[in-house]
Amino acid sequence: HLYCIPEDQQYKFEIFDSFGDGICCNWGLGRYRLKLKGEVVASGAEFGSSEVATFGKCPPCTGDLIDIVVWTHNWPGDTAWTLKNQGIGEIKASVLAGDYTEGNSKKSHSYCFTEDDQKYEYEITDEFEDGICCFEGDGRYQVSLNGVIVSSGGEFGSSETSTFGSSTKAKSRKDMNDKGLFR
């Protein structure tokens, strides 16, 4: 299939196999190849039940760039989180309990909010109320605002909440290094 897509975007391609053995080799010689502007950006055949490829390039973020990384524990379906604009309580992003299905894996999320200089609230919850580390695996999370880690952890009970950002835009780690604040 041929699709015309904007070049200044980032895309996620995911292929699924319901039997869980990829598309090659026990039951045929299937394969896939994904090209962008004539260049192969993803290809494969042997992958189990699914495979993901991210390609393309996002335009630079001109507001607040928030990166959330969650390393799941043995029971990923227990984990949920929300990211809110604290000033008005608006949910900006979330993952519901049950959304994560693969245990002991890394889940990365990036968001660019054009209304920069906001105060945010990140809350991570665990339905079993034992956090995501260390009783049932080595889960953890990390939240960054404009390249600066503003919250991290994993050992908590039912939930953990952190607030970050303000009416003054967070400085980048590079800016802080230039001023001698990080070594």
Side-chain angles (χ1 to χ4, degrees):
H1 300 283
L2 180 63
Y3 297 96
C4 294
I5 58 175
E7 292 180 28
D8 65 341
Q9 299 291 316
Q10 188 172 48
Y11 299 93
K12 177 180 173 181
F13 170 80
E14 189 165 7
I15 186 168
F16 296 95
D17 179 69
S18 60
F19 196 68
D21 64 350
I23 56 176
C24 175
C25 292
N26 293 334
W27 299 101
L29 299 175
R31 66 185 173 134
Y32 71 91
R33 184 176 18 221
L34 186 61
K35 292 182 178 183
L36 180 64
K37 294 170 50 174
E39 188 176 318
V40 175
V41 293
S43 64
E46 297 182 60
F47 55 81
S49 59
S50 70
E51 189 164 81
V52 175
T54 303
F55 62 95
K57 195 174 191 178
C58 289
C61 181
T62 58
D64 282 337
L65 176 62
I66 298 177
D67 294 304
I68 299 171
V69 182
V70 177
W71 292 267
T72 61
H73 64 339
N74 296 343
W75 303 97
D78 292 351
T79 305
W81 58 260
T82 57
L83 176 67
K84 293 180 185 176
N85 175 325
Q86 191 182 40
I88 59 175
E90 174 190 14
I91 295 176
K92 305 295 279 180
S94 65
V95 167
L96 302 174
D99 285 354
Y100 292 148
T101 58
E102 187 178 350
N104 303 304
S105 64
K106 180 180 177 180
K107 307 297 182 190
S108 300
H109 311 270
S110 290
Y111 305 97
C112 178
F113 300 116
T114 55
E115 65 281 359
D116 62 351
D117 294 342
Q118 300 295 312
K119 191 159 192 162
Y120 300 95
E121 177 182 289
Y122 175 79
E123 180 181 29
I124 186 166
T125 61
D126 182 78
E127 283 191 334
F128 200 68
E129 299 183 357
D130 64 349
I132 57 175
C133 180
C134 297
F135 183 67
E136 290 289 344
D138 292 323
R140 63 190 188 282
Y141 71 91
Q142 178 178 296
V143 181
S144 300
L145 172 61
N146 300 320
V148 178
I149 297 170
V150 293
S151 183
S152 62
E155 292 186 61
F156 57 88
S158 60
S159 68
E160 187 163 80
T161 303
S162 58
T163 58
F164 55 92
S166 68
S167 59
T168 304
K169 191 170 178 104
K171 304 264 186 231
S172 73
R173 184 173 291 273
K174 181 185 179 315
D175 291 340
M176 292 181 178
N177 280 340
D178 291 345
K179 293 182 176 141
L181 298 175
F182 280 106
R183 294 274 174 211

